Amino acid sequence: MKDNLEKFISENRSDFDREIPSLKVWAAIDKKVNGKETQPPPVTKSRRLWRYSWIAASVALLLATGTAIGLQLNQGESNSMASLGDFSSEYAEMEQYYQSQIQEKVAQLASYDDNNTVRKDLLQVDEFMEELKNELQEAPKGNEEKIINAMIHNYQTKIDILERVLERIQST
Amino acid sequence: MEYNNIHRDIVESCKLGNRQAQFELYRLYSKAMYDICLRMLKNELDAEDVLQNSFVMIFSKLNTFRYQSSVGAWIKRIVVNNCINYLKKKRLQLEELQERHSNAAYEATDDCGAEPSFSVEAINHALFQLPDGYRVVFTLYMLEGYDHKEIASILEVSEATSKSQYSRAKKKLKEILLARPMASRG
């Protein structure tokens, strides 16, 4: 049998969860969990790489040629899309972290020789990125949290792709 | 009972070290978990600290998770335990949980009819004013849905202690709510 206090809390339970943790927390978790390169590759590595084989080494070419598309990948979200930093300085810090991650990996890739078969993969990378961007722009206005999550997802995806490309290059 | 389907694909991807999945899992639970930390620890810095350490622990222990409970319950248990350890480390007032009660069947007495008007803001504010032991028990019972048996196990006290602590916490909470100046009552 609940008294009035307990009843009130039960009925309004969702209103008690209002705070959102700063995105710095995720950045720190990500760093600690995924930052170490000494982790042994998972058993299904070859299967994962197969999914991304169509982008294998394409980023190297992007950099080598320094095309507009390559620059786009390099700089992160510069053109028509809002940047995370537009939302607050905390998010800007987050964005900086991701962009520096991306730049670091892109720089690593630049040190490898490019490969001609990679040229068409390049186009597919950009198609993929364009899709992500469009998804973001179609997000309803005022739905900020969703947009932010999507942007973070976008950065995550880029980093993921770059890592797989690197893995692939380093293993051939 | 096996909780097979709830976020199973995400969990399995996380086990393989898939970063997208990790972020997805974090995104699904971080808000609720952060709020737990905030309620238990009372400040954002500590809450973020414990949230971060908890998720690092969660991802590293995920391989041991075998769906004996829902992944949410498993995550929550880790977070709650970390909050309590954090409080213990700071030697904050969890000692009152060890009190011996002369009256084993302690029941909170109703304040003669006077009931405060409730608001989420007032209750949150009042919760922060409770001593840690009371706040932890009250939060775990009333907000996080643990029963006294589970709370007893988490806090390593008897079930009777949990119940009496809860009664006292509730009483104290009401006192604090009643003492709020009229103008700011919700």
Coordinates of all heavy atoms in Angstrom, one line a residue, chain A residues 49 52 55-60 109 125 159-171:
Chain A
L49 N 36.5 -7.5 -41.9 CA 37.2 -6.7 -42.9 C 36.5 -6.9 -44.2 O 36.5 -6.0 -45.1 CB 38.6 -7.2 -43.0 CG 39.5 -6.6 -41.9 CD1 40.9 -7.1 -42.0 CD2 39.5 -5.1 -41.9
Y52 N 34.1 -4.4 -45.1 CA 34.6 -3.1 -45.5 C 35.7 -3.2 -46.6 O 36.4 -2.2 -46.9 CB 35.2 -2.4 -44.3 CG 34.2 -1.9 -43.3 CD1 33.8 -2.7 -42.2 CD2 33.5 -0.7 -43.6 CE1 32.8 -2.2 -41.3 CE2 32.5 -0.3 -42.7 CZ 32.2 -1.1 -41.6 OH 31.2 -0.6 -40.8
I55 N 36.2 -0.5 -49.2 CA 36.8 0.8 -48.9 C 38.3 0.6 -48.6 O 39.0 1.6 -48.3 CB 36.3 1.5 -47.7 CG1 35.4 0.6 -46.8 CG2 35.6 2.8 -48.1 CD1 35.1 1.3 -45.5
A56 N 38.8 -0.6 -48.7 CA 40.2 -0.9 -48.4 C 41.1 0.1 -49.1 O 41.1 0.2 -50.3 CB 40.5 -2.3 -48.8
A57 N 42.0 0.7 -48.3 CA 43.0 1.6 -48.7 C 42.6 2.8 -49.6 O 43.4 3.6 -50.0 CB 44.0 0.8 -49.6
S58 N 41.3 3.0 -49.7 CA 40.9 4.1 -50.5 C 41.2 5.4 -49.9 O 41.4 6.4 -50.6 CB 39.4 4.0 -50.8 OG 38.7 4.1 -49.5
V59 N 41.2 5.4 -48.6 CA 41.5 6.7 -48.0 C 42.9 7.2 -48.3 O 43.2 8.4 -48.3 CB 41.3 6.6 -46.4 CG1 41.5 7.9 -45.8 CG2 39.8 6.1 -46.2
A60 N 43.8 6.3 -48.4 CA 45.2 6.6 -48.8 C 45.2 7.4 -50.1 O 45.9 8.5 -50.2 CB 46.1 5.4 -48.9
L109 N 47.5 6.6 -42.7 CA 47.2 6.0 -44.0 C 48.0 6.6 -45.1 O 48.4 6.0 -46.1 CB 45.7 6.2 -44.3 CG 44.8 5.1 -43.6 CD1 43.4 5.6 -43.8 CD2 45.0 3.8 -44.3
V125 N 33.2 5.2 -50.6 CA 33.3 5.8 -49.3 C 32.5 7.1 -49.2 O 31.7 7.3 -48.3 CB 34.8 6.2 -49.0 CG1 34.9 6.8 -47.6 CG2 35.7 5.0 -49.1
I159 N 35.8 6.8 -38.0 CA 37.0 6.2 -37.3 C 37.1 4.7 -37.5 O 38.1 4.1 -37.7 CB 37.0 6.6 -35.8 CG1 37.2 8.1 -35.6 CG2 38.0 5.8 -35.0 CD1 37.1 8.5 -34.2
D160 N 35.9 4.1 -37.4 CA 35.8 2.6 -37.6 C 36.3 2.3 -39.0 O 37.1 1.3 -39.1 CB 34.4 2.2 -37.4 CG 34.3 0.9 -36.7 OD1 35.1 0.7 -35.7 OD2 33.5 0.1 -37.1
I161 N 35.9 3.0 -40.0 CA 36.3 2.7 -41.3 C 37.8 2.9 -41.5 O 38.5 2.0 -42.0 CB 35.5 3.6 -42.3 CG1 34.0 3.3 -42.4 CG2 36.1 3.6 -43.7 CD1 33.2 4.3 -43.2
L162 N 38.3 4.0 -41.0 CA 39.7 4.2 -41.1 C 40.5 3.1 -40.4 O 41.5 2.7 -40.9 CB 40.0 5.6 -40.4 CG 39.6 6.8 -41.3 CD1 39.7 8.1 -40.4 CD2 40.4 6.9 -42.5
E163 N 40.0 2.7 -39.3 CA 40.8 1.6 -38.6 C 40.8 0.3 -39.4 O 41.8 -0.3 -39.5 CB 40.2 1.4 -37.2 CG 40.5 2.4 -36.2 CD 40.1 2.1 -34.8 OE1 39.2 1.2 -34.7 OE2 40.7 2.7 -33.9
R164 N 39.7 0.0 -40.0 CA 39.6 -1.2 -40.8 C 40.5 -1.1 -42.0 O 41.2 -2.1 -42.4 CB 38.2 -1.5 -41.2 CG 37.4 -2.2 -40.1 CD 36.0 -2.0 -40.2 NE 35.2 -2.8 -39.2 CZ 35.2 -2.5 -37.9 NH1 35.8 -1.4 -37.5 NH2 34.5 -3.3 -37.1
V165 N 40.5 0.1 -42.6 CA 41.4 0.3 -43.7 C 42.9 0.1 -43.3 O 43.6 -0.6 -44.0 CB 41.2 1.7 -44.4 CG1 42.2 2.0 -45.4 CG2 39.8 1.8 -44.9
L166 N 43.2 0.7 -42.2 CA 44.5 0.6 -41.7 C 44.9 -0.9 -41.4 O 46.0 -1.4 -41.8 CB 44.7 1.3 -40.4 CG 45.2 2.8 -40.6 CD1 45.0 3.5 -39.3 CD2 46.6 2.8 -41.1
E167 N 44.0 -1.6 -40.8 CA 44.2 -3.0 -40.5 C 44.5 -3.8 -41.7 O 45.4 -4.6 -41.8 CB 42.9 -3.6 -39.8 CG 42.9 -3.6 -38.3 CD 41.6 -4.1 -37.8 OE1 41.2 -5.2 -38.2 OE2 40.9 -3.4 -37.1
R168 N 43.7 -3.5 -42.7 CA 43.8 -4.2 -44.0 C 45.1 -3.9 -44.6 O 45.8 -4.8 -45.1 CB 42.7 -3.8 -44.9 CG 42.9 -4.1 -46.3 CD 42.1 -5.2 -46.8 NE 42.3 -5.3 -48.3 CZ 41.4 -5.9 -49.1 NH1 40.3 -6.2 -48.7 NH2 41.7 -6.0 -50.4
I169 N 45.5 -2.6 -44.6 CA 46.8 -2.3 -45.3 C 47.9 -2.9 -44.5 O 48.9 -3.5 -45.1 CB 47.0 -0.7 -45.3 CG1 46.0 -0.1 -46.2 CG2 48.4 -0.4 -45.7 CD1 46.1 1.4 -46.2
Q170 N 47.8 -2.9 -43.2 CA 48.9 -3.4 -42.4 C 49.1 -4.9 -42.5 O 50.1 -5.4 -42.2 CB 48.8 -2.9 -41.0 CG 49.1 -1.5 -40.8 CD 48.6 -0.9 -39.5 OE1 47.8 -1.5 -38.8 NE2 49.0 0.3 -39.2
S171 N 48.0 -5.6 -42.9 CA 48.1 -7.0 -42.9 C 48.4 -7.6 -44.3 O 48.6 -8.7 -44.5 CB 46.8 -7.6 -42.4 OG 45.7 -7.3 -43.3

